[in-house]
Amino acid sequence: MNPDALRGHMDALLLSVVEHEPLHGYAIIEALRERSGGALDVPTGTVYPALRRLERAGFLASEWATVGGRKRRTYRLTDAGRAELAGERTAWTSFTRVIGKVLDPQT
Amino acid sequence: MNPDALRGHMDALLLSVVEHEPLHGYAIIEALRERSGGALDVPTGTVYPALRRLERAGFLASEWATVGGRKRRTYRLTDAGRAELAGERTAWTSFTRVIGKVLDPQT
DNA sequence: AGTCTACATGTAGGCTCTCTATATGTAGCC
DNA sequence: GGCTACATATAGAGAGCCTACATGTAGACT
C-alpha cells in the first residue's frame, strides 16, 4: 500500500474504527489491520499524532486507563466526530466515483 | 474535493488521460474536468510539475509543437508508462476495496 | 538473572506532493 | 486598449504520513 494513497483518508479510517466502541491507539492499529484483512499496517508514528490531531479538532475525546499494569489512552467518538465521519463517508463515495470515472471511462 | 485525497492518485489520473491520445498540459486539465463531470479542476501548479515528474520517471515522453501560434508540450504514454498505469489501476481497485472494508464493515 | 516478545505511547525530523500565487506570452474579440 | 481564452512554468507554503528513536510494563522462556 503506497503511503501517499492514504493521504486524506486516514481520518475517516480512524473515526470509523472507534465508531461503535472506544479503543486505545494500539488496539486501533490492530483493528485497522483486521478490518482490512491485513492490508493496512499503519505505523505508530502515524496513528498517535493523528489521534491527537483528531482530538484537537473535537472529533475524538480521550481518557487514560490502566489495564493490567499498562496505561492506555482510550479514544471515543464525539458527536462532532460522528457528523464528521458521516461526511467522510459521503466524500469517500463521491471520491471513488470520480476517480473511477477518470480511470475507466465508459467511452 | 479535498486536495490531500488526490495524493498518490494523481499519477494514475494523468497517465489514464493520455492513454489513447497524446495531450498537452492544458488539454489534460480540461480532459480531467470533462471525464470527472466537472468534479476535478486541477490547478496548473499541480499538473505541470507532475507531468515533468512523470516524464523524469520515464512514464511519459514529450514533444514541443506550435499550433495556432501557441507552443504546446505534448505528452504521450511510454511503454513503461503503460505498464505503470496497469499497476496503478490494480492498486486503485485493491485500495478502494480495503478502505471500503474499513469504512463499511459487513459486521 | 537475563533475554525476548508483545503491549503501549510518544516525539523529532524528513520527505513528498499538492496548492496558491505569480510570471510570461500569444490569439482573437470588442 | 482591454478582456478572455489558451498555454507553460516556478517559488514557496502547507500538511500529513513515514522512519527512527525513546521509554516503559508484563509475561514467557532459558
Side-chain angles (χ1 to χ4, degrees), chain A residues 14 23-31 44 47-48 51 72-75:
Chain A
L14 294 174
L23 292 174
H24 60 285
Y26 195 89
I28 288 172
I29 293 172
E30 289 181 321
T44 63
V47 168
Y48 290 111
L51 290 173
R72 295 173 172 175
R73 193 204 279 263
T74 303
Y75 290 89

Side-chain angles (χ1 to χ4, degrees), chain A:
Chain A
M1 177 78 66
N2 170 25
D4 272 331
L6 288 176
R7 276 277 192 133
H9 307 291
M10 188 60 72
D11 292 7
L13 295 176
L14 294 174
L15 296 179
S16 175
V17 107
V18 296
E19 186 180 15
H20 299 302
E21 46 166 2
L23 292 174
H24 60 285
Y26 195 89
I28 288 172
I29 293 172
E30 289 181 321
L32 286 174
R33 188 161 38 229
E34 279 164 30
R35 284 215 211 180
S36 67
L40 241 45
D41 194 12
V42 191
T44 63
T46 296
V47 168
Y48 290 111
L51 290 173
R52 285 167 159 279
R53 179 168 50 79
L54 289 170
E55 184 172 25
R56 226 168 27 241
F59 301 143
L60 293 176
S62 71
E63 293 166 5
W64 281 101
T66 303
V67 177
R70 292 188 184 99
K71 287 191 175 174
R72 295 173 172 175
R73 193 204 279 263
T74 303
Y75 290 89
R76 64 175 176 78
L77 205 57
T78 64
D79 287 342
R82 211 165 292 276
E84 174 69 11
L85 176 56
E88 298 263 18
R89 284 207 172 103
T90 305
W92 169 254
T93 303
S94 70
F95 172 72
T96 54
R97 193 166 44 232
V98 165
I99 306 298
K101 248 191 287 189
V102 177
L103 287 189
D104 296 299
Q106 56 281 32
T107 315

